[in-house]
């Protein structure tokens, strides 16, 4: 007997899921396009000149890779003892800006924003597929929905994607942290040949070195991720548990090397603030995290959470898992979220600058929708009959056999976009980039920068007075020189162009 083959029509849930996943992928490309395009009108500023000066002049003089590397290592060593322990970030910035500070400054945006999107997409899909046994279409829908919201509602986008130093040290390293988490999921759920085993452990070494030697927010969170992962591998008697323990030990080494830097205390004292005790900092971090969740969980995020419910329901149906202790899981995930606040509260007594706030916003969506998945799974198991959930083989359809997922997403998605504009206005990143490009603001901003370059490159003037920018695009403008030639930003620019003094013309 021939089996009846069900026709694939627009009424089919599987087809609607594919269409929705494809539509969201197109949407992601559309919102990223103006953000990448506007980066081509960006240019160096503030700390960028300091890091560039480590490599560029020496390379122009010697063309020796070894001499440049030694200079970068020496600079990282000096910063370690005089300012901050983030040795890997210092080396990375002096290297990357040596390549890209002049003619390809936009590369910072491609690395930070592109890295964020790629690493999160990989890790989200891998986690949903391997941990929750989700199909590829639904995994893509959840991943792109979360990533799109992160990109559109970035707290301070200029520090997240466009100021090279901030973008690499914070956003790019955060992306590597997410990548590390995804690779740990793969490591648990996969079997490897000897060569594959060696390669993935080498990747772990590189990621651990990069994250452990960079900003303290992601470094502390990664320490907790390693601690949980190592514990879980041993509890489950996983065959790779000793490899994970070795990676944890290595990470602990590079992390302690970062934290123990003499320069950290010097920088802390220069801020003129007394740091909190460790216990006080943890308590204040929990308080700050709770306040952040309450104030920043706005209507657009709730609407997206509602849109994800039918997608999540189908995923949690598939896995034969009870989702136990949801309150404990939420508490642990809150602790991980709150840990991000601890380093800046401990060192400076504040929750951090814009580049740090961006990390809170990125992880907010992971916290919200990750907990949503777990609680829906628990509720589904606890009150399956009350909720009227059908069996795994059935689709969420009406009596007529019609699936409403795609129409619902189209209708509620329009409401979501409207709410984004109401809550975000011109600070919605892609909208702002499109408006700035269309109005010619970014182009004019870059043209005025080139006019400044002509004045600075004039060798007859040892002291240069630069006109202020007539326009300061929201996405591109981060900082500028002042009317005080002794300001460190002025001095960095003057040193780069070999001038005695550079000042800003009074308005």
């Amino acid at each position: 007997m021939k089996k009846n083959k069900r026709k694939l029509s627009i009424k089919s849930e599987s087809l609607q899921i594919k269409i929705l996943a494809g539509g969201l992928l197109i949407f992601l490309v559309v919102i990223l396009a103006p953000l990448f395009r506007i980066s081509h009108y960006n240019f160096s500023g503030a700390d960028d000149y300091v890091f560039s000066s480590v490599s560029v002049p020496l390379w122009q003089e010697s063309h020796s890779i070894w001499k440049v590397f030694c200079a970068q290592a020496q600079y990282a060593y000096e910063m370690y003892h005089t300012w901050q322990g983030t040795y890997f970030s210092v080396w990375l910035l002096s290297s990357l800006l040596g390549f890209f500070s002049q003619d390809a400054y936009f590369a910072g945006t491609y690395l930070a924003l592109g890295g964020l999107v790629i690493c999160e997409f990989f890790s989200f899909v891998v986690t949903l597929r391997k941990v929750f046994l989700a199909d590829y279409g639904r995994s893509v829908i959840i991943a792109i929905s979360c990533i799109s919201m992160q990109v559109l509602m970035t707290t301070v986008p200029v520090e997240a994607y466009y100021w090279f130093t901030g973008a690499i040290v914070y956003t790019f390293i955060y992306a590597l942290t997410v990548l590390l988490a995804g690779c740990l999921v793969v490591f648990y759920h996969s079997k490897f040949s000897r060569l594959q085993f060696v390669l993935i452990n080498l990747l772990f070494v590189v990621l651990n070195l990069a994250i452990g030697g960079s900003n303290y927010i992601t470094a502390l969170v990664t320490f907790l991720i390693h601690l949980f992962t190592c514990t879980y591998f041993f509890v489950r008697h996983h065959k790779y548990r000793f490899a994970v323990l070795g990676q944890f030990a290595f990470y602990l080494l590079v992390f302690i090397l970062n934290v123990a830097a003499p320069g950290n205390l010097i920088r802390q004292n220069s801020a003129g603030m007394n740091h909190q005790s460790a216990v006080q900092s943890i308590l204040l971090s929990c308080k700050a995290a709770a306040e952040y969740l309450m104030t920043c969980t706005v209507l657009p995020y709730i609407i997206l959470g509602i849109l994800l419910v039918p997608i999540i329901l189908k995923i949690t149906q598939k896995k034969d898992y009870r989702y136990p202790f949801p309150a404990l899981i939420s508490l642990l995930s809150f602790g991980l979220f709150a840990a991000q606040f601890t380093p800046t509260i401990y060192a400076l007594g504040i929750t951090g600058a814009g580049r740090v706030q961006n990390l809170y916003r990125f992880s907010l969506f992971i916290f919200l929708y990750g907990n949503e998945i777990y609680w829906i799974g628990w509720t589904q198991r606890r009150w399956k009959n009350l909720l009227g959930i059908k069996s795994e083989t059935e689709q969420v359809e009406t009596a007529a056999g019609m699936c409403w997922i795609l129409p619902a997403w189209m209708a509620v998605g329009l409401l979501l976009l409207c709410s984004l504009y109401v809550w975000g206005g011109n600070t919605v990143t892609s909208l702002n980039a499109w408006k700035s490009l269309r109005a010619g603001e970014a182009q004019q901003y870059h043209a005025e920068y080139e006019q400044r370059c002509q004045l600075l490159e004039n060798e007859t003037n040892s002291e240069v007075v630069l006109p202020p920018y007539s326009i300061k695009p929201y996405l591109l403008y981060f900082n500028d020189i002042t009317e005080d030639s002794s300001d460190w930003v002025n001095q960095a620019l003057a040193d780069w162009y070999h001038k005695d003094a550079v000042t800003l013309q009074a308005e």
Side-chain angles (χ1 to χ4, degrees):
M1 293 179 64
K2 293 182 178 180
K3 294 182 179 179
N4 293 327
K5 294 183 179 179
R6 191 172 64 182
K7 293 181 179 179
L8 197 64
S9 68
I10 193 64
K11 294 181 180 180
S12 166
E13 181 179 0
S14 61
L15 179 59
Q16 290 194 20
I17 289 296
K18 291 177 181 178
I19 293 173
L20 181 56
L24 286 174
L25 184 59
I26 294 172
F27 176 76
L28 179 61
V29 172
V30 168
I31 66 174
L32 290 176
L35 296 176
F36 285 124
R37 181 71 188 100
I38 201 173
S39 70
H40 289 259
Y41 297 100
N42 203 13
F43 46 82
S44 298
D47 304 63
D48 299 329
Y49 289 112
V50 177
F51 289 107
S52 299
S53 63
V54 176
S55 303
V56 175
L58 184 58
W59 172 256
Q60 292 174 342
E61 175 186 337
S62 65
H63 290 284
S64 170
I65 296 176
W66 175 249
K67 288 184 178 180
V68 171
F69 176 79
C70 290
Q72 293 167 348
Q74 177 65 28
Y75 183 68
Y77 178 83
E78 292 173 358
M79 290 286 285
Y80 183 85
H81 285 85
T82 61
W83 187 243
Q84 196 171 26
T86 54
Y87 52 89
F88 184 85
S89 291
V90 173
W91 171 80
L92 183 64
L93 284 171
S94 61
S95 299
L96 292 178
L97 282 166
F99 285 107
F100 302 127
S101 62
Q102 300 303 295
D103 301 319
Y105 189 77
F106 57 83
T109 301
Y110 282 73
L111 286 171
L113 180 55
L116 178 69
V117 171
I118 293 171
C119 292
E120 287 199 322
F121 183 83
F122 166 79
S123 296
F124 292 171
V125 170
V126 160
T127 302
L128 289 165
R129 295 273 287 163
K130 292 189 175 293
V131 177
F132 296 98
L133 304 181
D135 60 273
Y136 187 71
R138 287 177 176 82
S139 301
V140 169
I141 289 171
I142 294 176
I144 294 181
S145 298
C146 184
I147 293 169
S148 298
M149 193 67 80
Q150 288 174 320
V151 172
L152 289 171
M153 298 296 284
T154 303
T155 308
V156 187
V158 64
E159 295 189 37
Y161 312 125
Y162 296 100
W163 173 42
F164 201 111
T165 300
I168 296 300
V169 174
Y170 289 88
T171 304
F172 180 69
I173 297 298
Y174 172 87
L176 295 185
T177 302
V178 177
L179 176 61
L180 174 65
C183 289
L184 287 170
V185 171
V186 173
F187 199 56
Y188 182 85
H189 289 276
S190 303
K191 294 181 179 179
F192 302 97
S193 66
R194 289 185 179 180
L195 177 60
Q196 290 172 333
F197 181 80
V198 170
L199 290 176
I200 195 169
N201 275 278
L202 287 175
L203 176 61
F204 282 140
V205 168
V206 173
L207 291 175
N208 285 328
L209 180 61
I211 299 166
S214 295
N215 76 81
Y216 298 107
I217 293 87
T218 52
L220 178 59
V221 169
T222 303
F223 166 77
L224 296 175
I225 291 173
H226 270 300
L227 179 62
F228 169 78
T229 303
C230 191
T231 303
Y232 190 75
F233 268 66
F234 272 87
V235 169
R236 303 293 294 182
H237 297 284
H238 196 280
K239 64 179 295 185
Y240 296 142
R241 59 188 181 277
F242 289 104
V244 170
L245 178 62
Q247 292 295 342
F248 184 25
F250 175 73
Y251 180 80
L252 196 59
L253 175 65
V254 297
F255 179 47
I256 291 175
L257 184 64
N258 186 350
V259 173
N264 291 332
L265 184 60
I266 296 174
R267 182 175 186 181
Q268 184 179 312
N269 292 335
S270 70
M273 300 183 68
N274 295 322
H275 69 76
Q276 308 288 335
S277 68
V279 175
Q280 284 179 314
S281 299
I282 293 172
L283 294 175
L284 288 172
S285 298
C286 292
K287 178 175 181 291
E291 292 174 348
Y292 187 90
L293 288 172
M294 289 187 290
T295 57
C296 294
T297 305
V298 293
L299 183 61
Y301 310 163
I302 296 172
I303 294 174
L304 179 58
I306 294 171
L307 272 174
L308 291 175
V309 169
I311 307 298
I312 295 171
L313 280 171
K314 196 68 175 183
I315 293 174
T316 52
Q317 274 182 295
K318 292 183 176 182
K319 186 171 176 63
D320 185 18
Y321 184 65
R322 293 185 301 109
Y323 297 90
F325 310 114
L328 177 61
I329 295 300
S330 292
L331 184 62
L332 290 173
S333 62
F334 174 76
L336 190 63
F337 179 78
Q340 299 175 106
F341 293 76
T342 304
T344 53
I345 288 178
Y346 175 76
L348 303 174
I350 59 175
T351 58
R355 49 198 173 274
V356 178
Q357 299 292 327
N358 291 326
L359 305 188
Y360 304 156
R361 181 63 56 86
F362 295 151
S363 56
L364 169 66
F365 297 105
I366 300 176
F367 173 83
L368 290 177
Y369 304 132
N371 274 278
E372 180 183 9
I373 293 173
Y374 201 90
W375 276 95
I376 286 177
W378 177 82
T379 304
Q380 208 171 25
R381 294 292 182 269
R382 185 96 168 107
W383 293 304
K384 188 173 182 180
N385 293 332
L386 178 62
L387 292 175
I389 302 298
K390 300 183 180 181
S391 67
E392 294 182 16
T393 57
E394 296 181 81
Q395 296 179 347
V396 183
E397 300 175 353
T398 65
M402 177 63 184
C403 176
W404 291 94
I405 289 180
L406 185 59
W409 266 77
M410 292 174 66
V412 183
L414 290 174
L415 177 63
L416 174 59
L417 292 176
C418 292
S419 67
L420 280 173
Y421 183 75
V422 171
W423 257 261
N426 286 328
T427 63
V428 176
T429 54
S430 298
L431 178 62
N432 186 279
W434 179 78
K435 285 185 174 180
S436 182
L437 290 167
R438 186 169 180 267
E441 293 179 352
Q443 295 88 327
Q444 181 181 344
Y445 181 60
H446 190 267
E448 292 181 5
Y449 161 73
E450 291 180 327
Q451 292 174 1
R452 279 189 174 191
C453 289
Q454 291 178 2
L455 295 174
L456 290 165
E457 290 168 359
N458 187 340
E459 298 181 359
T460 60
N461 297 327
S462 60
E463 296 184 1
V464 181
V465 179
L466 299 176
Y469 293 114
S470 63
I471 194 165
K472 299 175 181 178
Y474 169 71
L475 292 178
L476 301 183
Y477 178 80
F478 169 65
N479 198 0
D480 198 8
I481 60 173
T482 68
E483 298 175 17
D484 180 10
S485 62
S486 63
D487 185 276
W488 73 270
V489 179
N490 295 52
Q491 290 180 339
L493 184 63
D495 291 342
W496 179 255
Y497 283 99
H498 308 290
K499 302 297 181 184
D500 293 335
V502 173
T503 56
L504 185 67
Q505 180 180 316
E507 297 188 45

